[in-house]
Amino acid sequence: MIVPMKKISLVILDKDRKSSLKALRKLGVVHIEDVQGSSDELSSYKKQEQKVSVAYSILSEVKLDKSTKQKNVELLNYEQSIELAEKVIALSEEKKQCLSQINSDTTELERFTKWGSVNPADFEFLEKKGVYLYMYEIPSDKYDSISEELSTVLVNKDKSQSRILVLTDYSKPAGERPSGLCPEAYEVVMPRMATEELANVIKANFDRIKSIEAELKDCAKYLTSLNNLLSVISKEVEFENLFSGMGLEECDSTVKLSWLTGYVPTEDLSPVVELAKAQAWGIAVSDPTDEDNVPTKLKNNKLVSLIYPVTDFLGTVPGYNEYDISNWFLLYFTIFFGMIFGDGGYGAILLCISFVAMIPSILKKKSPEPFVFLLSLLGFATMAWGAITCTWFGLSPEQLPDFVKKLSIPCLSNSVGNAKDIMGNSSPISFLTNEAWVKENLQIFCFALALIQLTVAHFKGIIKNIKSLRAFGELGSMLQLWGMFYVVLSMVVDGRRFPLGETEETYYLFNTIPVPLLCIGLIGVGFVLSFVFSNYENSIGKSILESCKNIVSVLLGVVNIFSDIVSYIRLWAVALAGGAISATVNEMAGPMLGHAIMFIFALLILFVGHGLNMILNVLSVIVHGVRLNTLEFSSHLGMSWTGFKYNPFKE
């Protein structure tokens, strides 16, 4: 459930501001409204936080030798931690500079690979003697075009380029080309130092990088200490931001008051009131209004709380005035997970992984993490669905033991005969083959899940609006949903099995009312109720007028109901794709299992193939299984997931 909140406003003497905030932080139950503080101390803390954060990030990426186990070491004091952070950042920056210099010098050195050793000092020495040399490169096929009047020395030559020295008795201006050279010749700029010295500088930078990496590895032993410091500084930033951002009211020249606003769970209000009395604070308590930005605190039993790792990963938090659907989310997410994985063998693997993950916690006499229990639940659900459909590691029913086949449900399992064998010759669906019958039954099951889940959404809407005529609007949406369910069965599953008109296969309610006609009637009545009451506030006329203004959206709402139900077919489609991959992997590895030499390759194919399929299934669950809860189901609930977590001001 969403824990009820109270809005409080505290007024304190400005001179007691710091001590009052410390007392409030020690209590640790008040979620303070966002404030934007400003002070020199806050800026200093933020700079320190940034330094430590960067240093922690740098050390986190340091790769330690697996052979050497490095113990975590605690730093002695706050100042040492800041000094260490500054040192790590400086070393990292120096490493970047060394790498940049190596890249620059390597590029420079590569320019003179075919020139040999080049030393600018030698050219300067010759210039003092009145001999001026310039390096040029020219296409080899243009070398013979050089004027004989120009003094040149051929250094070397290959198929594409010729490298020459041009001799002059004068210092030519920069950019000027000696006469007698073709336009294709270009001057080679001198290196910034001798090429031999460049090579030595590159080597020295590489050596320095190794030294820096060794220093960073040594600093990595303080990683835990830096992480702890980061938490401390974050709290100091939070405190100083609140301290400097509190509202200030000057009553007269001697008395100044500070104030703040926050939210407290109703169950924790009494300690706040008692603290306010003890500290002589002024306190005002009220219920939050619709305009207030109230945080959300969820409180559920241990079973329902298993879904929290998923919602935390997704970052989805219901608004304070929305629904807590944690229980429904867990129920349907578990079902969707089992159907999408769809293979009992995969479920057994997940269950084994969860049991292995529990062992360290059990040995330490601690309770395993909620995610481990969730994994166990999901593994069990996958095994259950695999047993129902007789799907184990993509094997065909003929390859499975008889007792495994008996665990399956005939109408959903591939291990049974066709519809005629199960339902008899007189059944209106006896014309269906086994494959078609099972396929249609699985699709019907998916759409039935949609019907149940979306009905729950509108039923919750009816309960929420039970004192308002808007409840009839929710009832109208529910009726449209029920009627559209049959339309989906007819248009998507099988028009012969679920005809929209009266045929030999038409179902009748109480042997008199044709089900297709009843469903069309439900859609019509539901549309009218929804049109009249969905926007109801205090006047039916205004509600109808509002629906008329949004007539396009109202009409599209009927189509959206159809598409939302059809959307659940993704559960069958994704599972079908996963099953096809499993079967393909088995077909690839099967012929190799009979040969001793190829046996290892077969095992490798099975391991990689099924492993990849499981990874794809995880992605499918995130994309499809989560979507049905957070989009289709939530949209029928009217949820937008705009909430944010209750985060009390605490030590």
Side-chain angles (χ1 to χ4, degrees):
M1 70 171 187
I2 296 178
V3 177
M5 291 280 178
K6 290 291 185 181
K7 182 178 181 179
I8 66 168
S9 296
L10 298 175
V11 180
I12 60 179
L13 292 174
D14 187 60
K15 64 183 182 67
D16 299 330
R17 189 167 24 150
K18 182 161 285 191
S19 61
S20 298
L21 286 178
K22 288 182 179 180
L24 194 64
R25 182 171 67 176
K26 186 175 182 181
L27 185 62
V29 295
V30 181
H31 179 106
I32 308 297
E33 282 190 341
D34 288 339
V35 296
Q36 297 298 325
S38 177
S39 68
D40 293 338
E41 192 170 357
L42 177 61
S43 299
S44 175
Y45 276 127
K46 285 185 175 180
K47 289 179 181 178
Q48 292 175 2
E49 182 182 32
Q50 184 179 16
K51 286 181 182 178
V52 176
S53 179
V54 172
Y56 180 81
S57 178
I58 292 170
L59 293 181
S60 298
E61 296 177 358
V62 173
K63 294 182 179 179
L64 300 176
D65 297 331
K66 295 182 179 179
S67 58
T68 59
K69 293 184 178 180
Q70 199 168 28
K71 295 183 179 180
N72 293 320
V73 179
E74 290 291 332
L75 293 165
L76 296 178
N77 53 48
Y78 187 91
E79 288 73 18
Q80 283 185 333
S81 300
I82 299 299
E83 289 176 3
L84 174 68
E86 292 174 344
K87 175 185 176 181
V88 170
I89 294 172
L91 288 172
S92 177
E93 289 298 321
E94 185 181 356
K95 181 181 177 180
K96 290 179 182 177
Q97 292 175 1
C98 288
L99 288 172
S100 176
Q101 191 64 55
I102 287 173
N103 290 334
S104 176
D105 289 343
T106 301
T107 302
E108 184 78 348
L109 196 60
E110 288 175 352
R111 286 201 305 124
F112 297 93
T113 302
K114 296 183 179 180
W115 280 90
S117 178
V118 178
N119 190 345
D122 295 339
F123 287 78
E124 292 175 0
F125 174 78
L126 291 174
E127 286 180 3
K128 293 177 181 179
K129 301 296 183 179
V131 178
Y132 299 91
L133 292 178
Y134 301 98
M135 296 183 294
Y136 277 86
E137 289 189 5
I138 184 173
S140 295
D141 57 354
K142 299 289 184 181
Y143 177 73
D144 294 335
S145 66
I146 298 175
S147 174
E148 295 181 357
E149 297 179 357
L150 186 65
S151 300
T152 61
V153 175
L154 178 63
V155 177
N156 58 51
K157 183 178 183 181
D158 53 38
K159 292 182 178 180
S160 59
Q161 294 287 329
S162 296
R163 282 154 284 279
I164 62 174
L165 291 173
V166 177
L167 287 74
T168 64
D169 55 0
Y170 65 93
S171 177
K172 72 178 184 64
E176 181 181 296
R177 178 186 299 275
S179 59
L181 278 179
C182 63
E184 289 81 4
Y186 62 91
E187 185 177 1
V188 178
V189 180
M190 283 284 178
R192 64 184 181 87
M193 62 177 66
T195 52
E196 292 181 356
E197 292 181 22
L198 275 177
N200 292 332
V201 170
I202 292 173
K203 183 179 181 302
N205 280 326
F206 273 118
D207 292 340
R208 179 53 186 157
I209 288 175
K210 290 182 180 179
S211 175
I212 290 173
E213 289 176 345
E215 290 186 65
L216 290 176
K217 284 183 180 180
D218 183 62
C219 292
K221 62 187 177 184
Y222 301 111
L223 194 61
T224 302
S225 182
L226 283 181
N227 189 35
N228 295 335
L229 175 64
L230 192 58
S231 300
V232 172
I233 297 179
S234 297
K235 288 296 180 182
E236 292 299 329
V237 168
E238 181 186 27
F239 183 91
E240 187 58 33
N241 179 65
L242 182 57
F243 176 77
S244 59
M246 289 179 65
L248 184 64
E249 190 73 29
E250 188 171 349
C251 298
D252 54 43
S253 58
T254 58
V255 179
K256 293 182 179 179
L257 299 177
S258 294
W259 55 270
L260 58 84
T261 303
Y263 300 92
V264 182
T266 303
E267 58 191 10
D268 297 325
L269 181 61
S270 296
V272 179
V273 174
E274 292 175 4
L275 180 63
K277 290 179 180 178
Q279 297 285 334
W281 300 338
I283 182 172
V285 181
S286 62
D287 291 322
T289 64
D290 293 339
E291 288 74 26
D292 289 325
N293 200 15
V294 188
T296 302
K297 180 182 180 182
L298 300 178
K299 185 178 181 181
N300 290 291
N301 57 45
K302 291 184 178 180
L303 176 61
V304 176
S305 299
L306 292 180
I307 197 61
Y308 289 169
V310 177
T311 54
D312 290 343
F313 172 75
L314 298 172
T316 53
V317 181
Y320 179 72
N321 294 312
E322 294 181 340
Y323 300 97
D324 176 19
I325 61 169
S326 299
N327 50 353
W328 296 106
F329 200 127
L330 176 64
L331 173 62
Y332 280 98
F333 180 77
T334 303
I335 295 173
F336 297 159
F337 188 99
M339 292 180 67
I340 289 175
F341 261 71
D343 193 299
Y346 290 175
I349 292 175
L350 295 177
L351 205 57
C352 291
I353 292 174
S354 66
F355 288 158
V356 172
M358 290 181 186
I359 294 175
S361 298
I362 294 174
L363 294 177
K364 295 179 181 178
K365 296 182 179 180
K366 293 182 179 180
S367 177
E369 294 293 325
F371 177 76
V372 179
F373 288 114
L374 177 63
L375 187 61
S376 301
L377 177 63
L378 298 177
F380 179 79
T382 306
M383 285 186 65
W385 184 253
I388 289 172
T389 58
C390 198
T391 307
W392 298 88
F393 291 113
L395 298 173
S396 64
E398 293 76 17
Q399 297 172 303
L400 297 172
D402 290 337
F403 78 91
V404 173
K405 299 177 186 178
K406 292 179 181 179
L407 295 174
S408 63
I409 296 178
C411 61
L412 299 175
S413 172
N414 291 321
S415 65
V416 299
N418 57 29
K420 182 178 179 180
D421 297 330
I422 302 300
M423 307 298 290
N425 292 325
S426 60
S427 171
I429 57 171
S430 59
F431 57 83
L432 291 174
T433 62
N434 173 39
E435 182 179 354
W437 188 53
V438 172
K439 182 193 77 170
E440 290 186 4
N441 289 339
L442 288 172
Q443 291 176 348
I444 293 170
F445 185 82
C446 292
F447 296 143
L449 282 176
L451 178 65
I452 296 171
Q453 188 177 26
L454 300 183
T455 296
V456 168
H458 291 295
F459 185 75
K460 291 175 74 70
I462 292 173
I463 298 300
K464 181 179 180 181
N465 298 286
I466 195 65
K467 295 182 180 180
S468 169
L469 292 180
R470 188 184 284 254
F472 286 104
E474 290 289 346
L475 177 61
S477 297
M478 184 186 294
L479 294 178
Q480 291 181 75
L481 177 68
W482 292 349
M484 197 61 72
F485 173 71
Y486 186 85
V487 175
V488 170
L489 295 183
S490 177
M491 299 183 68
V492 178
V493 179
D494 193 337
R496 293 180 300 170
R497 190 172 173 183
F498 303 99
L500 288 176
E502 289 195 49
T503 66
E504 294 180 358
E505 285 78 23
T506 299
Y507 296 96
Y508 289 86
L509 185 65
F510 306 121
N511 294 323
T512 56
I513 305 174
V515 171
L517 181 62
L518 175 63
C519 291
I520 298 300
L522 288 176
I523 295 173
V525 173
F527 178 80
V528 173
L529 288 174
S530 180
F531 186 86
V532 175
F533 296 106
S534 288
N535 299 302
Y536 179 81
E537 292 295 339
N538 296 311
S539 170
I540 294 179
K542 290 182 179 179
S543 177
I544 295 174
L545 181 61
E546 191 66 28
S547 295
C548 290
K549 290 180 181 178
N550 300 290
I551 187 63
V552 175
S553 298
V554 173
L555 294 174
L556 288 177
V558 181
V559 179
N560 288 338
I561 293 174
F562 178 88
S563 63
D564 287 344
I565 297 175
V566 173
S567 184
Y568 281 69
I569 203 173
R570 67 183 67 236
L571 299 171
W572 166 76
V574 175
L576 184 65
I581 293 175
S582 297
T584 302
V585 172
N586 293 340
E587 289 178 6
M588 292 172 59
M592 300 181 186
L593 293 174
H595 303 277
I597 299 177
M598 304 297 292
F599 186 77
I600 296 177
F601 293 100
L603 292 180
L604 182 62
I605 291 175
L606 290 173
F607 178 79
V608 174
H610 286 291
L612 179 61
N613 195 22
M614 291 185 69
I615 294 174
L616 293 175
N617 284 338
V618 171
L619 296 176
S620 297
V621 168
I622 295 174
V623 174
H624 302 291
V626 170
R627 172 205 162 102
L628 293 175
N629 280 296
T630 56
L631 187 59
E632 276 80 3
F633 181 48
S634 298
S635 64
H636 283 256
L637 281 167
M639 291 183 61
S640 55
W641 298 98
T642 56
F644 58 98
K645 272 190 173 183
Y646 163 73
N647 184 25
F649 179 55
K650 61 181 180 180
E651 294 180 342

